[in-house]
Amino acid sequence: MTEHIDYNGTSQDDESHSFLILFASETGNAQDVAERIGLEAFKRGYKTRLMAMDAYPLDDLVDEPLVIFVCSTTGNGAEPRNMMTLWRTLLRSDLPTDLLDATHFAVFGLGDSGYERFNWAAKKLQRRLLSLGAMELIARGDADDQDFYGIESAFAPWLSRLFEALSATFAGAGQHAEIPVPTRPEPRVIMTVPDQPDILSHHMAALKLRSDRGRIPVTLKCNERMTRADWFQDVRRIEFVADNDISYEPGDVAVLYPENPEDDVNWLLKRMAWEETADVTYSISASNPDWPLPSEFPATATIRQLLAKHLDICSVPRRSFFENIRHFTSDEREKEKLEDFCTKEGLDDLHSYTTRPRRTIIEILSEFKSVTIPPEYAVNVFPLLRPREFSIASSLK
């Protein structure tokens, strides 16, 4: 029988085995790593709090005994947008050098060694924490997107070292019980049908206001490939026309909010047997307040809306996708294959199956035919569909 992981932890009243995980991410890779750390912690009997750096109340940092930081580096050394507030606060010149002398920490960085300032955000964060008196639990981990296995090459050994250090750190704080494996997490969200129509209308109005704020409807005028058809990079010149005047300055970016193709959404609804409830409106909330949902995630939506606008069902999946769907297959051969993908020995097979041919989530679910995901687990399984930022190349002059 499959055990379950409670997102509230196995020792709900025991804060001695608790720690904080903060992540800063642009594309979702750092968030995925942070969540994998949190899930591994639950399996080992620890309680965690997990949130984006910009969602954390920074005044509380001095009271944290242990913090795990996971951050990516964007471009040539820039920190992600949701790290900027924390970084500016830590850089204040009036902070005492012993501000964090009661805090232990570890940093895992994600970057690309093709850039000169490889993992610069993680390196800067590590140095600043040390200069404020914080104590490093283990050496910084540096994941390199250029590596053959990508993040996995650096993450697996770093994760092992982290929990060895945690075990030693908490050795004097009593025993913690590990959860039997294989384990299946509880759903990340609670989905309920509102009883009162006025409450539902209020939620839908708030959702529309939030989704429309700052967005400008435009019409696609040109989508031209600038690189040769046989070149590995697909660089495009895209032109939009807006009905209303738009003002922008040099250095501004255009943020595009993608949606999944309607045919793919309909296919997945049918494949998962979600068609009957696809257009039921649910109130959606985090199942654990210590693992809050992103601020931009809708509080009210249908399953169809989640798949169309909020969850990425067409990307090449990360390893965590397979770690999740292995719990929802009824076929032993498929289960064995999925579990092999989740092992160190199965990295070659996983790379050959997904990364090299760029096989997408939709394609994988069409091949693993016995996988049936309950709708409340969609947020566990599918990554968030993130906005894309593009440099504005034109001029108003």
Side-chain angles (χ1 to χ4, degrees):
M1 184 183 215
T2 303
E3 299 285 342
H4 291 260
I5 301 174
D6 180 358
Y7 274 97
N8 287 312
T10 57
S11 304
Q12 295 183 26
D13 299 322
D14 184 5
E15 296 299 328
S16 64
H17 295 139
S18 174
F19 59 92
L20 172 68
I21 306 171
L22 296 178
F23 64 86
S25 185
E26 287 285 355
T27 64
N29 286 329
Q31 179 176 349
D32 183 72
V33 166
E35 291 176 353
R36 288 173 63 183
I37 295 171
L39 289 174
E40 185 64 25
F42 282 132
K43 293 177 185 178
R44 295 171 180 260
Y46 298 101
K47 180 179 179 180
T48 62
R49 289 168 292 139
L50 183 145
M51 63 189 73
M53 291 185 188
D54 63 351
Y56 178 75
L58 295 179
D59 290 343
D60 295 345
L61 190 60
V62 295
D63 298 318
E64 297 289 351
L66 178 58
V67 187
I68 310 301
F69 295 91
V70 183
C71 65
S72 59
T73 295
T74 65
N76 193 24
E79 63 275 1
R81 285 179 301 168
N82 56 1
M83 179 179 167
M84 289 179 178
T85 300
L86 178 141
W87 183 238
R88 284 196 296 264
T89 301
L90 291 179
L91 283 180
R92 282 172 42 189
S93 60
D94 60 339
L95 296 181
T97 57
D98 61 350
L99 178 70
L100 300 177
D101 62 357
T103 300
H104 286 79
F105 76 95
V107 175
F108 188 80
L110 296 84
D112 186 331
S113 62
Y115 291 91
E116 182 180 354
R117 294 185 172 184
F118 169 58
N119 263 340
W120 201 247
K123 293 173 181 177
K124 291 191 299 183
L125 177 61
Q126 176 200 30
R127 288 196 297 266
R128 186 54 178 158
L129 292 170
L130 288 171
S131 72
L132 293 173
M135 296 161 285
E136 193 167 36
L137 188 67
I138 60 169
R140 186 190 68 247
D142 289 319
D144 185 0
D145 199 47
Q146 295 286 333
D147 191 276
F148 183 77
Y149 295 124
I151 293 169
E152 299 303 326
S153 296
F155 179 60
W158 183 87
L159 187 67
S160 178
R161 294 196 303 272
L162 173 65
F163 281 101
E164 288 176 3
L166 287 174
S167 181
T169 299
F170 290 129
Q175 297 296 316
H176 63 278
E178 293 194 12
I179 303 171
V181 292
T183 54
R184 187 175 83 187
E186 290 294 320
R188 284 287 307 276
V189 299
I190 298 171
M191 300 174 65
T192 57
V193 179
D195 296 327
Q196 302 179 32
D198 57 328
I199 294 178
L200 176 58
S201 299
H202 172 75
H203 280 316
M204 293 302 289
L207 174 62
K208 186 177 188 305
L209 283 173
R210 180 170 57 189
S211 63
D212 289 346
R213 188 182 298 124
R215 300 190 185 186
I216 301 169
V218 294
T219 302
L220 180 64
K221 178 182 177 182
C222 170
N223 183 357
E224 176 187 358
R225 178 165 180 149
M226 306 297 290
T227 49
R228 296 195 317 265
D230 59 348
W231 185 245
F232 75 99
Q233 286 182 318
D234 184 357
V235 178
R236 292 181 177 267
R237 171 173 165 259
I238 300 176
E239 294 184 12
F240 295 103
V241 176
D243 294 333
N244 302 319
D245 291 337
I246 302 175
S247 62
Y248 53 87
E249 298 177 356
D252 285 351
V253 297
V255 182
L256 304 185
Y257 292 82
E259 295 186 11
N260 291 311
E262 184 178 356
D263 289 346
D264 289 338
V265 171
N266 290 334
W267 180 89
L268 187 58
L269 289 171
K270 183 176 182 179
R271 167 69 179 77
M272 292 295 138
W274 293 347
E275 289 177 298
E276 289 189 7
T277 57
D279 298 302
V280 175
T281 301
Y282 293 93
S283 288
I284 304 170
S285 59
S287 60
N288 176 13
D290 287 336
W291 281 45
L293 295 171
S295 59
E296 64 273 16
F297 200 82
T300 306
T302 66
I303 296 174
R304 187 186 303 276
Q305 289 169 336
L306 290 179
L307 295 183
K309 298 183 178 183
H310 301 285
L311 299 176
D312 192 347
I313 62 174
C314 298
S315 62
V316 177
R318 305 178 181 95
R319 179 174 166 178
S320 57
F321 172 78
F322 296 94
E323 292 174 345
N324 276 300
I325 65 170
R326 62 179 171 161
H327 301 300
F328 304 111
T329 177
S330 56
D331 184 277
E332 287 302 320
R333 294 178 64 182
E334 289 187 2
K335 185 178 183 66
E336 182 181 352
K337 186 62 176 177
L338 291 170
E339 290 186 339
D340 180 63
F341 284 157
C342 301
T343 65
K344 180 180 178 181
E345 295 74 22
L347 277 178
D348 276 326
D349 290 340
L350 180 61
H351 182 82
S352 298
Y353 181 68
T354 57
T355 309
R356 188 176 296 139
R358 308 296 294 171
R359 187 173 273 110
T360 67
I361 288 173
I362 286 286
E363 291 171 330
I364 290 165
L365 290 176
S366 70
E367 294 181 4
F368 286 85
K369 300 183 183 300
S370 75
V371 172
T372 305
I373 304 164
E376 63 271 19
Y377 276 92
V379 176
N380 295 56
V381 172
F382 303 116
L384 297 179
L385 187 59
R386 296 178 179 275
R388 271 60 161 180
E389 293 186 354
F390 297 91
S391 298
I392 299 175
S394 59
S395 171
L396 288 172
K397 297 181 179 179

